[in-house]
Amino acid sequence: LRNLFTTALYDDHLNRWFSPDGFLSLFSLVGTNGQGIGTSSLSQWVHGCDALELPRQQREQLDAFIDQLYKDIERETGDFLNCEGSGLFLLQSSCNHSCIPNAEASFPDNNFLLHLTALFDIGPGEEVCISYLDCCQRERSRHSRHKILR
């Protein structure tokens, strides 16, 4: 893999990343700080459903349908349902995890441009935190969330 990257992307001013140790370090950064890039039409549809103003009973039915749909798809596709790649983003990489995040990373324009959006007011000096878990994982028990984060 390192040889393929070197052949395709090598540039003298980036040479430290193409040595065996540099390449390992680069992949460690992606593994630790990478943001999954998900722009699937399904996730866009679900966000549109979330924005609908529905009576309580219809909302519950729609939510149950979406939950089951995700479970069925996850059973078939595994963890990569909405992940079209991974990227390193300077601001997002500096955000720590919180189970009750005050910001959220998204791709609202269905491209590779990450938007970091405050979920509520963030005061001066307050840390910006995101959830490292996807929306389905956040609904799991505390024990399951800790296991995933480890």
Side-chain angles (χ1 to χ4, degrees), residues 87-148:
L88 288 174
F89 298 88
L90 185 62
L91 182 59
Q92 178 272 338
S93 294
S94 65
C95 294
N96 283 319
H97 168 78
S98 173
C99 287
I100 307 170
N102 57 13
E104 159 180 271
S106 65
F107 298 88
D109 299 325
N110 244 12
N111 59 24
F112 62 89
L113 297 175
L114 180 137
H115 290 228
L116 192 59
T117 306
L119 298 174
F120 46 83
D121 290 341
I122 302 172
E126 186 179 349
E127 183 176 15
V128 176
C129 294
I130 60 175
S131 177
Y132 293 168
L133 305 172
D134 66 35
C135 59
C136 295
Q137 293 170 330
R138 285 192 295 264
E139 300 299 319
R140 295 183 178 182
S141 70
R142 183 175 182 270
H143 173 77
S144 294
R145 292 191 318 266
H146 279 220
K147 186 176 178 182
I148 293 166

Side-chain angles (χ1 to χ4, degrees), residues 23-41:
F23 195 72
L24 179 62
S25 178
L26 181 63
F27 262 74
S28 295
L29 284 173
V30 173
T32 303
N33 295 307
Q35 167 67 45
I37 300 172
T39 59
S40 76
S41 55

Side-chain angles (χ1 to χ4, degrees), residues 36-89:
I37 300 172
T39 59
S40 76
S41 55
L42 177 60
S43 66
Q44 296 300 312
W45 178 80
V46 169
H47 284 295
C49 289
D50 289 344
L52 295 173
E53 292 185 28
L54 298 171
R56 186 182 59 79
Q57 184 178 6
Q58 286 182 344
R59 169 60 58 196
E60 289 172 358
Q61 289 174 333
L62 179 58
D63 288 347
F65 172 78
I66 291 170
D67 287 344
Q68 188 60 52
L69 180 62
Y70 272 110
K71 286 176 187 173
D72 292 345
I73 292 172
E74 185 176 353
R75 186 180 65 243
E76 298 297 325
T77 65
D79 293 336
F80 297 101
L81 169 64
N82 286 324
C83 188
E84 297 171 3
S86 187
L88 288 174
F89 298 88

Side-chain angles (χ1 to χ4, degrees), residues 7-21:
T7 301
L9 302 172
Y10 186 83
D11 189 294
D12 283 337
H13 77 280
L14 300 173
N15 68 347
R16 68 183 174 133
W17 297 112
F18 293 96
S19 71
D21 287 340

